[in-house]
Short mmCIF file of all heavy atoms in Angstrom, two decimals:
data_model
loop_
_atom_site.label_atom_id
_atom_site.label_comp_id
_atom_site.label_asym_id
_atom_site.label_seq_id
_atom_site.Cartn_x
_atom_site.Cartn_y
_atom_site.Cartn_z
N GLU A 785 15.24 -2.10 5.81
CA GLU A 785 15.83 -1.39 4.67
C GLU A 785 15.40 -2.14 3.41
O GLU A 785 15.97 -3.19 3.09
CB GLU A 785 17.36 -1.37 4.81
CG GLU A 785 18.05 -0.51 3.77
CD GLU A 785 17.90 0.97 4.02
OE1 GLU A 785 17.73 1.37 5.19
OE2 GLU A 785 17.97 1.73 3.05
N LYS A 787 14.88 -2.45 -0.69
CA LYS A 787 15.44 -1.98 -1.94
C LYS A 787 14.29 -1.44 -2.80
O LYS A 787 13.26 -2.07 -2.94
CB LYS A 787 16.14 -3.14 -2.67
CG LYS A 787 16.72 -2.75 -4.01
CD LYS A 787 17.32 -3.99 -4.70
CE LYS A 787 17.72 -3.68 -6.11
NZ LYS A 787 16.60 -3.57 -7.04
N LEU A 788 14.49 -0.27 -3.37
CA LEU A 788 13.46 0.37 -4.19
C LEU A 788 13.36 -0.33 -5.55
O LEU A 788 14.31 -0.36 -6.32
CB LEU A 788 13.79 1.85 -4.40
CG LEU A 788 12.85 2.64 -5.31
CD1 LEU A 788 11.45 2.70 -4.71
CD2 LEU A 788 13.39 4.04 -5.54
N ASN A 789 12.19 -0.92 -5.80
CA ASN A 789 11.91 -1.49 -7.12
C ASN A 789 11.47 -0.40 -8.07
O ASN A 789 10.96 0.65 -7.66
CB ASN A 789 10.83 -2.56 -7.03
CG ASN A 789 11.33 -3.87 -6.47
OD1 ASN A 789 12.51 -4.17 -6.53
ND2 ASN A 789 10.42 -4.65 -5.91
N ALA A 794 3.91 -3.38 -17.17
CA ALA A 794 4.10 -4.64 -17.90
C ALA A 794 4.87 -5.67 -17.08
O ALA A 794 4.69 -6.88 -17.27
CB ALA A 794 4.81 -4.39 -19.22
N ASP A 795 5.72 -5.22 -16.16
CA ASP A 795 6.51 -6.13 -15.32
C ASP A 795 5.64 -6.88 -14.30
O ASP A 795 6.05 -7.93 -13.80
CB ASP A 795 7.57 -5.36 -14.51
CG ASP A 795 8.66 -4.75 -15.36
OD1 ASP A 795 8.96 -5.29 -16.44
OD2 ASP A 795 9.22 -3.72 -14.92
N PHE A 802 4.67 -9.92 -3.12
CA PHE A 802 5.75 -9.10 -2.58
C PHE A 802 5.61 -9.10 -1.06
O PHE A 802 4.49 -9.00 -0.55
CB PHE A 802 5.67 -7.67 -3.13
CG PHE A 802 5.74 -7.63 -4.62
CD1 PHE A 802 4.59 -7.80 -5.39
CD2 PHE A 802 6.95 -7.44 -5.26
CE1 PHE A 802 4.66 -7.78 -6.78
CE2 PHE A 802 7.02 -7.41 -6.65
CZ PHE A 802 5.88 -7.59 -7.41
N PHE A 804 7.74 -8.50 3.09
CA PHE A 804 8.88 -8.23 3.96
C PHE A 804 8.47 -8.50 5.40
O PHE A 804 7.28 -8.58 5.71
CB PHE A 804 9.41 -6.79 3.80
CG PHE A 804 8.44 -5.71 4.19
CD1 PHE A 804 8.40 -5.22 5.49
CD2 PHE A 804 7.58 -5.17 3.25
CE1 PHE A 804 7.51 -4.20 5.85
CE2 PHE A 804 6.69 -4.15 3.59
CZ PHE A 804 6.66 -3.68 4.89
N SER A 824 -2.80 6.45 23.39
CA SER A 824 -3.68 5.59 24.18
C SER A 824 -2.82 4.71 25.09
O SER A 824 -1.83 4.13 24.64
CB SER A 824 -4.53 4.70 23.27
OG SER A 824 -5.15 3.69 24.04
N VAL A 828 0.98 2.51 24.93
CA VAL A 828 2.24 3.07 25.44
C VAL A 828 2.44 3.01 26.95
O VAL A 828 3.54 3.30 27.41
CB VAL A 828 2.40 4.54 24.96
CG1 VAL A 828 2.46 4.62 23.45
CG2 VAL A 828 1.30 5.44 25.50
N GLY A 840 -0.61 -6.96 28.11
CA GLY A 840 0.50 -6.08 27.76
C GLY A 840 0.06 -5.12 26.68
O GLY A 840 -1.07 -5.20 26.17
N GLY A 845 -3.25 -0.41 15.40
CA GLY A 845 -3.66 -1.04 14.14
C GLY A 845 -3.21 -0.23 12.94
O GLY A 845 -2.79 -0.79 11.92
N SER A 853 2.17 1.05 2.94
CA SER A 853 2.79 2.14 2.19
C SER A 853 4.19 1.75 1.74
O SER A 853 4.58 2.02 0.59
CB SER A 853 2.84 3.41 3.05
OG SER A 853 3.36 4.49 2.31
N ALA A 865 4.92 4.14 -8.28
CA ALA A 865 3.64 4.02 -7.59
C ALA A 865 2.97 5.37 -7.36
O ALA A 865 3.63 6.34 -6.98
CB ALA A 865 3.82 3.33 -6.24
N SER A 869 -5.80 4.15 -3.15
CA SER A 869 -6.67 3.86 -2.00
C SER A 869 -6.20 2.59 -1.31
O SER A 869 -5.46 1.78 -1.88
CB SER A 869 -8.13 3.71 -2.44
OG SER A 869 -8.30 2.57 -3.27
N GLN A 870 -6.67 2.45 -0.07
CA GLN A 870 -6.34 1.28 0.74
C GLN A 870 -7.47 1.03 1.71
O GLN A 870 -7.86 1.93 2.45
CB GLN A 870 -5.04 1.53 1.53
CG GLN A 870 -4.67 0.44 2.51
CD GLN A 870 -4.16 -0.80 1.83
OE1 GLN A 870 -3.19 -0.75 1.09
NE2 GLN A 870 -4.79 -1.94 2.08
N LEU A 872 -8.67 -1.11 5.08
CA LEU A 872 -8.03 -1.73 6.24
C LEU A 872 -9.09 -2.41 7.08
O LEU A 872 -10.08 -1.78 7.46
CB LEU A 872 -7.31 -0.69 7.09
CG LEU A 872 -6.11 0.02 6.49
CD1 LEU A 872 -5.63 1.13 7.43
CD2 LEU A 872 -4.99 -0.95 6.19
N ASN A 873 -8.86 -3.67 7.39
CA ASN A 873 -9.70 -4.42 8.31
C ASN A 873 -8.79 -4.93 9.42
O ASN A 873 -7.85 -5.69 9.15
CB ASN A 873 -10.37 -5.60 7.59
CG ASN A 873 -11.21 -5.14 6.42
OD1 ASN A 873 -12.15 -4.39 6.59
ND2 ASN A 873 -10.84 -5.57 5.24
N PHE A 874 -9.06 -4.49 10.65
CA PHE A 874 -8.24 -4.88 11.79
C PHE A 874 -8.85 -6.13 12.41
O PHE A 874 -9.97 -6.09 12.93
CB PHE A 874 -8.17 -3.73 12.80
CG PHE A 874 -7.64 -2.46 12.19
CD1 PHE A 874 -8.46 -1.36 11.99
CD2 PHE A 874 -6.31 -2.36 11.80
CE1 PHE A 874 -7.98 -0.20 11.43
CE2 PHE A 874 -5.81 -1.21 11.23
CZ PHE A 874 -6.65 -0.12 11.05
N LYS A 876 -6.92 -8.77 14.47
CA LYS A 876 -6.36 -9.20 15.75
C LYS A 876 -5.26 -8.23 16.16
O LYS A 876 -4.58 -7.68 15.29
CB LYS A 876 -5.74 -10.60 15.64
CG LYS A 876 -6.73 -11.71 15.33
CD LYS A 876 -6.05 -13.05 15.40
CE LYS A 876 -6.30 -13.56 16.79
NZ LYS A 876 -5.99 -14.94 17.00
N GLY A 882 6.21 -8.00 18.94
CA GLY A 882 5.90 -9.07 18.00
C GLY A 882 6.46 -8.80 16.61
O GLY A 882 6.72 -7.66 16.24
N LYS A 885 4.77 -10.43 9.13
CA LYS A 885 5.08 -10.51 7.70
C LYS A 885 4.04 -9.66 6.99
O LYS A 885 2.84 -9.86 7.17
CB LYS A 885 5.03 -11.94 7.18
CG LYS A 885 5.29 -12.00 5.66
CD LYS A 885 5.40 -13.40 5.13
CE LYS A 885 6.73 -14.05 5.37
NZ LYS A 885 7.91 -13.41 4.83
N SER A 892 -5.55 -8.03 -9.48
CA SER A 892 -6.17 -7.57 -10.72
C SER A 892 -5.34 -6.45 -11.34
O SER A 892 -4.55 -5.79 -10.65
CB SER A 892 -7.61 -7.11 -10.51
OG SER A 892 -7.66 -5.88 -9.82
N LYS A 893 -5.55 -6.27 -12.65
CA LYS A 893 -4.89 -5.20 -13.40
C LYS A 893 -5.91 -4.60 -14.36
O LYS A 893 -6.70 -5.31 -14.95
CB LYS A 893 -3.72 -5.76 -14.23
CG LYS A 893 -2.56 -6.28 -13.43
CD LYS A 893 -1.47 -6.87 -14.32
CE LYS A 893 -0.78 -5.79 -15.13
NZ LYS A 893 0.35 -6.28 -15.94
N LEU A 914 -3.65 -10.28 10.95
CA LEU A 914 -3.88 -9.18 11.89
C LEU A 914 -4.61 -8.03 11.20
O LEU A 914 -5.49 -7.40 11.78
CB LEU A 914 -2.56 -8.68 12.48
CG LEU A 914 -1.66 -9.74 13.11
CD1 LEU A 914 -0.38 -9.09 13.64
CD2 LEU A 914 -2.38 -10.49 14.21
N VAL A 915 -4.19 -7.73 9.97
CA VAL A 915 -4.79 -6.66 9.18
C VAL A 915 -4.86 -7.15 7.74
O VAL A 915 -3.91 -7.77 7.24
CB VAL A 915 -3.94 -5.36 9.22
CG1 VAL A 915 -4.61 -4.24 8.41
CG2 VAL A 915 -3.69 -4.90 10.64
N VAL A 921 -3.46 0.92 -6.90
CA VAL A 921 -2.24 1.67 -7.21
C VAL A 921 -2.16 1.94 -8.70
O VAL A 921 -2.27 1.03 -9.52
CB VAL A 921 -0.99 0.86 -6.78
CG1 VAL A 921 0.28 1.66 -7.06
CG2 VAL A 921 -1.08 0.44 -5.32
N GLU A 925 4.08 5.71 -15.74
CA GLU A 925 5.09 5.34 -16.77
C GLU A 925 6.19 6.37 -16.82
O GLU A 925 6.16 7.40 -16.26
CB GLU A 925 4.42 5.19 -18.13
CG GLU A 925 3.52 3.97 -18.19
CD GLU A 925 4.20 2.62 -17.88
OE1 GLU A 925 5.38 2.42 -18.23
OE2 GLU A 925 3.54 1.78 -17.28
#
Side-chain angles (χ1 to χ4, degrees):
E785 187 75 27
K787 178 183 172 286
L788 177 63
N789 283 337
D795 293 332
F802 301 85
F804 63 90
S824 168
V828 299
S853 184
S869 66
Q870 174 73 58
L872 294 174
N873 302 299
F874 303 110
K876 296 186 94 167
K885 177 174 281 301
S892 72
K893 293 178 69 176
L914 306 180
V915 181
V921 182
E925 290 303 325

